[in-house]
Amino acid sequence: MAVVVSIFAGLGIEQDLLRRMVRNDPDGVAWAVGLVIVGAALPVILLLVNLSGRRAWATTLTSLVTVFSALLVVVGMINVLRTGTESLHSRDMPSLSLSAVKSPSGAVTVTSEAKAPALRSTEKMLLRIYGIGPSASEDLNVDSLCRGTRWPDIKGPSSGSGVLQWGESGPDKTGTASVQESLVVNSNDYRFVCAYAVLFNAPNEQPYSAWSVVDLRSLQASTPAAAAPSSEPTAPAP
């Protein structure tokens, strides 16, 4: 068990490794730690039974059980190391936030932020903000349009839809990537504004992505807060 704890510490238990291992592979963690516990317990059980000196086969049995327990401990530690490295290697889904605030003049401030941990040094995260024009039909599939992998040109088609902003970021030394975007659009020019965050993965892996959409027609213009009355006395006019 001391070696198992050392493996956790070596892989970075301060970075919540044990929680990631249990979340990603609970069966693997249970079997790995269980093998170590059983392998460490068998010699103790033999010591408590105290078979030595009873019969000739007791020495042979003790040797066999000791070797078998050592194999269990080694296999358990290898599985702990394998599960830990796989958990560190695995990715988490990116988190994405999208907000829109409409002013009395009709201008909408769109703010979006995407974060993704556990990226490799060769990977990137993309945050794309896409505007859907007012001429979109009622049966428009917003889902497929916002999450489409064939990203349209920045100028957009004749319907007035197109990419409003595009940002990319690579991971820092801890493997975390973050992209923030903020822009101002006219509420009369677009019907929907959606944000799409995706990780660039290897070809044999499933894409990790998140998306969010705002219906600009449902936004209410924010009214500026009235100035609080001042308690300071006003100087008389000269």
Side-chain angles (χ1 to χ4, degrees):
M1 292 307 297
V3 177
V4 173
V5 173
S6 301
I7 293 176
F8 284 144
L11 291 176
I13 196 171
E14 71 280 357
Q15 298 181 2
D16 206 14
L17 172 63
L18 183 58
R19 187 184 300 273
R20 289 177 59 92
M21 291 174 60
V22 174
R23 181 187 63 191
N24 294 335
D25 190 4
D27 294 336
V29 174
W31 276 105
V33 177
L35 287 176
V36 175
I37 294 176
V38 172
L42 286 179
V44 178
I45 295 175
L46 283 179
L47 181 63
L48 295 176
V49 175
N50 193 15
L51 294 176
S52 60
R54 293 187 178 182
R55 293 184 180 181
W57 55 264
T59 303
T60 304
L61 178 62
T62 302
S63 301
L64 292 176
V65 172
T66 302
V67 173
F68 180 68
S69 65
L71 290 176
L72 289 180
V73 172
V74 171
V75 172
M77 289 188 299
I78 292 176
N79 279 280
V80 169
L81 182 60
R82 177 189 59 81
T83 307
T85 53
E86 287 181 353
S87 295
L88 288 177
H89 176 74
S90 64
R91 298 174 183 79
D92 295 331
M93 291 293 181
S95 61
L96 176 65
S97 63
L98 176 64
S99 61
V101 179
K102 186 177 181 180
S103 67
S105 63
V108 178
T109 302
V110 179
T111 304
S112 183
E113 180 180 8
K115 292 183 178 180
L119 267 69
R120 302 189 187 100
S121 58
T122 56
E123 294 177 329
K124 291 182 179 181
M125 181 181 65
L126 160 72
L127 173 60
R128 181 193 64 191
I129 300 180
Y130 187 76
I132 300 176
S135 60
S137 60
E138 294 292 336
D139 57 349
L140 175 68
N141 191 346
V142 179
D143 185 354
S144 62
L145 185 58
C146 291
R147 299 173 64 179
T149 56
R150 294 185 177 182
W151 301 304
D153 187 75
I154 191 67
K155 297 179 181 179
S158 58
S159 60
S161 303
V163 176
L164 301 178
Q165 202 152 349
W166 180 299
E168 293 182 2
S169 174
D172 57 15
K173 62 181 180 180
T174 64
T176 302
S178 177
V179 182
Q180 297 180 357
E181 301 291 355
S182 181
L183 67 155
V184 179
V185 299
N186 193 328
S187 59
N188 297 324
D189 295 339
Y190 299 99
R191 180 177 175 183
F192 297 98
V193 172
C194 56
Y196 178 65
V198 64
L199 307 181
F200 291 99
N201 305 308
N204 59 342
E205 295 182 355
Q206 296 295 326
Y208 292 76
S209 62
W211 75 287
S212 181
V213 62
V214 173
D215 188 352
L216 300 186
R217 299 173 302 174
S218 62
L219 295 178
Q220 299 294 330
S222 59
T223 57
S230 175
S231 60
E232 295 294 333
T234 304

